[in-house]
Amino acid sequence: MEKLVIQGGKPLYGEVRISGAKNAALPLIAATLLAPGTHILHNVPDLRDTRTILKLLENLGITWQRRDTTLMIDSTHLTFSEASYDLVKTMRASVLVLGPLLARLGRAKVSLPGGCAIGARPINFHITGFEKLGVTCRLENGYVDAEIEGRMQGNVIYFDIPSVTGTENLLMAAVLAKGKTVIKNAAREPEIGNLIDMLTGMGAEIQGRGTDRLDIYGVDRLSTAECAIIPDRIEAGTYLIAVGATGGEATITGCNPAHLPSLLEKLRATGMEIKETEDTIFVSADRRNGNGQLRSVDIKTMPYPGYPTDLQAQFMALMTLSSGVCVINETIFENRFMHVGELQRMGADIRTNGHTAVITGKGANGLCGAPVMATDLRASSSLVIAGLAASGRTEISRIYHLERGYEQMVEKLSRLGAEVWKEQE
Ligand code: EPU
């Protein structure tokens, strides 16, 4: 196993280009199952998770080729309808094949993902939604075995909580159902807009893009798609926070600032300078300009356009370096404070009570390097940020978590002047 070593305390300067979004690539790759033929996806990040979903598609009989960031997926021969535990346990988003398999084959057997490091994360909304469309779902031996005779029938589906992959799964099912489906309290994340654009390009009829009500008018068949994956807003946010934490100055390119409304406001409130164009964000916390003392700012994670849970751990790392006290409230996942204990090992002052963390900033030089352990993807990136800002050497073990969602992180950070490398444990 590899670990990441960081010799911290160096401000990040320069430019970093953002990759395509993991959480958009996964549903768009799954959506290629909906229509036979060759689909073309651009700006696809090469990550452990995108490789996992492509492996899953291969197991279903699908072939694919990659040329740089473009994927050509030929889904003509869809011969199998089962996603095994081996794959699903490594990536929960594997459940995204349920909707397209049901729409195209009328059958899907997918392992239940089980709990994960950040919470229980059930898929009951997905299953109830499919049942509303007429599907029979049996839960047996750790699998959901779903089946429908003929086509699904449109219906009204209401989510208790807006679910991102739940909305995506049901969208992919409903586009080929008979009649109209309405998804109420749908998630509004930009990745869903990306999926709607792809489905519309394939011939689907969907109204309400960007809102919490989606009206889907089922069509008889779809055609192949050519679509570009949107920039990864969580990767962009992670680099913005990393630059701020180290007291540096950089331009984030190839991103979409409009997808980061809450983070940019929060970063401005800390005193960081943020300037946006259509596809770049300039960030400065340069201590040479006297901008280095960060103010403490509270956050509460919420569904989009609220503050994203996927940037909570990184913001907490930033707040350990601020000059006051702040409260972070995690409302999406019940166990998403796994990074707290590791940040404390680096000298952070954090107290938690249930879903709330109180962080007393220790100033720009408040952290020191330590051996720490990555526990999930975003917790890992918060440790990277802490390590970059800390004095001395930080060693982060279990970095396979990072490789699930950050493309070429070591190379990108090195180009910004960080001293960071991988070593065998
Ligand atoms: N929920 C249920 N039942 C369901 C579905 C969701 O109770 O059937 C609950 C969840 O337990 C959670 C809330 O609803 O409390 C929202 O979960 P959601 O379904 O939106 O999460 P997800 O679709 O499983 C996606 C991202 C996550 C991101 C969340 C929230 C993908 C592939 N994953 O997960 O990304 O944290 O939305 O924004 O899109 C990551 O990239 O590191 C990551 C974890």
Side-chain angles (χ1 to χ4, degrees):
M1 240 193 285
E2 284 182 313
K3 64 182 175 188
L4 197 71
V5 184
I6 303 173
Q7 192 63 41
K10 289 186 80 181
L12 301 183
Y13 287 106
E15 200 175 291
V16 59
R17 190 166 180 84
I18 297 308
S19 301
K22 164 179 89 74
N23 288 347
L26 298 174
L28 269 70
I29 291 172
T32 62
L33 296 174
L34 284 166
T38 301
H39 304 261
I40 301 175
L41 297 178
H42 302 287
N43 201 31
V44 183
D46 188 12
L47 300 165
R48 191 181 279 258
D49 274 12
T50 46
R51 276 176 244 143
T52 302
I53 196 149
L54 287 167
K55 178 87 202 140
L56 201 166
L57 259 59
E58 273 174 30
N59 290 353
L60 302 174
I62 307 299
T63 56
W64 59 273
Q65 280 178 48
R66 180 184 263 280
R67 237 174 263 143
D68 299 324
T69 61
T70 296
L71 269 184
M72 279 139 298
I73 302 177
D74 182 355
S75 63
T76 307
H77 303 289
L78 180 58
T79 48
F80 204 59
S81 59
E82 184 170 325
S84 71
Y85 180 57
D86 281 352
L87 282 173
V88 181
K89 75 175 182 209
T90 63
M91 191 188 69
R92 305 178 52 79
S94 306
V95 299
L96 282 167
V97 298
L98 262 170
L101 285 175
L102 280 167
R104 180 140 162 223
L105 300 177
R107 171 140 211 267
K109 189 172 174 186
V110 175
S111 169
L112 284 166
C116 81
I118 62 177
R121 301 184 76 186
I123 58 161
N124 55 318
F125 300 163
H126 305 230
I127 291 172
T128 312
F130 292 131
E131 285 173 343
K132 278 271 179 103
L133 300 181
V135 176
T136 306
C137 296
R138 283 187 306 274
L139 302 184
E140 272 171 6
N141 309 113
Y143 279 76
V144 47
D145 199 346
E147 210 166 3
I148 179 145
E149 242 345 91
R151 281 169 72 183
M152 286 176 269
Q153 176 68 51
N155 204 340
V156 177
I157 295 164
Y158 171 80
F159 285 127
D160 289 344
I161 307 169
S163 163
V164 176
T165 49
T167 303
E168 291 164 349
N169 231 343
L170 286 153
L171 261 172
M172 292 188 279
V175 285
L176 283 173
K178 250 191 269 169
K180 178 179 172 183
T181 300
V182 182
I183 306 179
K184 293 184 177 174
N185 203 21
R188 291 185 283 162
E189 270 66 5
E191 291 74 18
I192 292 168
N194 203 181
L195 175 64
I196 291 177
D197 290 344
M198 169 163 167
L199 295 172
T200 307
M202 294 167 79
E205 286 181 32
I206 302 165
Q207 287 174 6
R209 184 188 186 285
T211 74
D212 64 357
R213 178 187 159 124
L214 298 172
D215 289 27
I216 305 127
Y217 299 86
V219 295
D220 293 341
R221 69 187 58 80
L222 296 171
S223 53
T224 54
E226 176 158 5
C227 191
I229 309 293
I230 57 172
D232 196 316
R233 64 194 166 100
I234 306 302
E235 189 197 16
T238 302
Y239 283 104
L240 287 169
I241 294 172
V243 172
T246 60
E249 187 171 284
T251 303
I252 315 290
T253 65
C255 61
N256 187 343
H259 291 165
L260 283 164
S262 48
L263 176 73
L264 297 185
E265 275 319 293
K266 293 293 177 182
L267 292 181
R268 286 193 175 102
T270 69
M272 283 161 62
E273 186 186 347
I274 303 279
K275 286 192 227 149
E276 307 159 43
T277 68
E278 206 181 313
D279 59 358
T280 67
I281 306 171
F282 168 83
V283 52
S284 178
D286 192 338
R287 288 177 193 131
R288 294 172 309 188
N289 301 336
N291 290 338
Q293 257 322 315
L294 297 170
R295 284 189 291 272
S296 290
V297 175
D298 295 345
I299 59 165
K300 182 173 183 172
T301 63
M302 296 290 274
Y304 189 84
Y307 190 93
T309 175
D310 289 344
L311 285 170
Q312 177 260 109
Q314 300 89 320
F315 199 82
M316 189 182 294
L318 183 72
M319 287 297 97
T320 65
L321 302 156
S322 70
S323 57
V325 179
C326 76
V327 176
I328 293 185
N329 203 243
E330 171 59 57
T331 76
I332 308 290
F333 293 113
E334 64 273 24
N335 194 24
R336 216 172 193 182
F337 283 151
M338 301 278 279
H339 43 285
V340 169
E342 304 302 305
L343 291 172
Q344 284 168 335
R345 303 195 64 248
M346 300 177 72
D349 183 344
I350 306 169
R351 274 166 299 148
T352 56
N353 185 358
H355 292 188
T356 304
V358 178
I359 299 104
T360 305
K362 295 179 87 175
N365 302 317
L367 297 180
C368 56
V372 288
M373 194 162 71
T375 49
D376 74 74
L377 171 56
R378 308 305 172 184
S380 313
S381 61
S382 83
L383 299 178
V384 172
I385 291 168
L388 291 167
S391 55
R393 179 178 165 111
T394 295
E395 292 184 6
I396 307 174
S397 56
R398 302 202 181 164
I399 54 160
Y400 54 85
H401 288 293
L402 270 178
E403 290 162 357
R404 290 188 43 207
Y406 289 95
E407 195 176 43
Q408 299 193 335
M409 193 180 222
V410 169
E411 291 79 358
K412 289 186 185 187
L413 286 172
S414 302
R415 261 179 258 135
L416 288 169
E419 265 189 72
V420 53
W421 63 94
K422 287 181 191 171
E423 271 180 19
Q424 284 301 324
E425 295 235 41

